[in-house]
């Protein structure tokens, strides 16, 4: 019997290996196409940033500049007072990120671990608010901030960050649902309060989702354009996104200077992502867990 089934078994194993290799080749080809599609714009930005004015609008695209104009980075940043607006954006982004992380963690802990009347209603309101576009409340919020004297200040860009973010709150709630409540009960038996349980036990255990929230919050605040454009009139208070938009004019745009400044604009986000990418996918995986229990 062994000699009868050895040949078909061998052919089956060989066919299985061939299918596996074919699937690997297809998967690698798809990943390669996707990688090229994502890196193409970045490579083109780098190319334009290193070209001179006469080499930008050529009939045949040139991937490698004839001459490398590294002074484009100096000229591009000088035209829009880059480092002043860079400091403005960095300060607003850091303060807003801290506010979004703190408020989302506190609200998420309350909805996930504490028992109080209307808890499910509040959770439903948070989830329902995700369905509303941000433009719905833009006019009344602008009227409110203008009435209380916050127009042409950074306060409309910072203060709302400390009122909780529904998306980040939901992520934190989902991750907490994967942590057994026995940790809370053991800490309470040792005399720990809710504040100690949250900041000394749950937050360190929830580091992946906290890092994920930090990355998303900083990215959203750093790339924020509409709100600074609406509320900030004084150019000394402009954020970097608004300053970069000032490169465009009705007559001409010096694209090599713009691309050079844009490359420096992307550096903080790239740095934060590479530092936190270890926890990024773990934090995103928390959305697959169960909801409010």
């Amino acid at each position: 019997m062994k000699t009868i089934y050895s040949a078909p078994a061998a052919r089956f194993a060989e066919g299985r290996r061939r299918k596996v290799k074919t699937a690997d080749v297809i998967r690698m080809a798809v990943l390669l196409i996707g990688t090229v599609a994502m890196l193409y714009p970045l490579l083109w930005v780098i190319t334009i940033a290193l070209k001179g004015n006469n080499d930008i609008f050529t009939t045949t695209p040139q991937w490698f500049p004839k001459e490398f104009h590294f002074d484009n980075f100096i000229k591009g940043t000088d035209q829009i007072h880059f480092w002043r607006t860079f400091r403005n954006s960095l300060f607003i982004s850091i303060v807003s990120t801290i506010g979004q992380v703190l408020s989302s963690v506190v609200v998420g802990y309350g909805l996930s671990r504490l028992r109080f009347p209307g808890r499910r209603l509040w959770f439903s309101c948070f989830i329902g608010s995700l369905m509303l576009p941000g433009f719905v409340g833009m006019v009344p919020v602008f009227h409110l901030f203008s009435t209380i004297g916050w127009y042409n200040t950074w306060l409309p860009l910072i203060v709302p960050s400390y009122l909780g973010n529904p998306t980040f709150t939901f992520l934190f709630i989902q991750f907490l649902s994967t942590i057994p409540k026995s940790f809370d009960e053991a800490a309470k038996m040792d005399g720990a309060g809710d504040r100690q349980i949250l900041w000394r036990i749950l937050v360190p255990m929830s580091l992946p989702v906290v890092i994920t929230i930090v990355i998303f919050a900083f990215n959203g605040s750093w790339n924020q354009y509409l709100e600074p454009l609406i509320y900030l009139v004084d150019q000394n208070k402009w954020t970097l996104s608004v300053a970069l938009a000032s490169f465009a004019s009705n007559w001409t745009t010096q694209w090599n200077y713009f691309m050079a400044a844009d490359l420096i604009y992307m550096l903080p986000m790239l740095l934060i992502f590479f530092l936190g990418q270890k926890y990024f996918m773990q934090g995103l995986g928390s959305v697959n867990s169960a909801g409010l229990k």
Side-chain angles (χ1 to χ4, degrees), residues 84-85 88-89 92 151-154 157 228 231-240 242:
R84 183 185 66 196
T85 56
N88 295 345
S89 290
I92 294 173
Y151 184 70
N152 198 29
T153 67
W154 290 343
L157 311 179
Y231 291 106
L232 301 180
V233 179
D234 187 1
Q235 293 187 8
N236 294 325
K237 299 178 181 179
W238 274 6
T239 59
L240 193 52
V242 178

Side-chain angles (χ1 to χ4, degrees), residues 44-57 65 67-77 79 244 247 252-264:
W44 189 247
V45 168
I46 297 174
T47 301
I48 297 297
L50 296 174
K51 285 184 178 181
N53 291 327
N54 298 327
D55 298 331
I56 296 177
F57 299 102
E67 297 180 0
F68 291 91
H69 295 263
F70 292 101
D71 58 333
N72 290 343
F73 292 91
I74 299 176
K75 295 178 180 178
T77 54
Q79 285 193 6
L244 283 173
F247 258 113
T252 182
T253 301
Q254 294 178 293
W255 291 109
N256 49 350
Y257 296 165
F258 176 83
M259 297 301 182
D262 195 40
L263 284 175
I264 305 178

Side-chain angles (χ1 to χ4, degrees), residues 100-111:
Q100 293 187 61
V101 172
L102 291 178
S103 59
S104 300
V105 166
V106 172
V107 175
Y109 173 77
L111 293 175

Side-chain angles (χ1 to χ4, degrees), residues 217-230:
F218 188 90
N219 178 62
S221 181
W222 183 259
N223 294 323
Q224 196 176 30
Y225 173 72
L226 186 59
E227 284 78 4
L229 182 65
I230 293 174

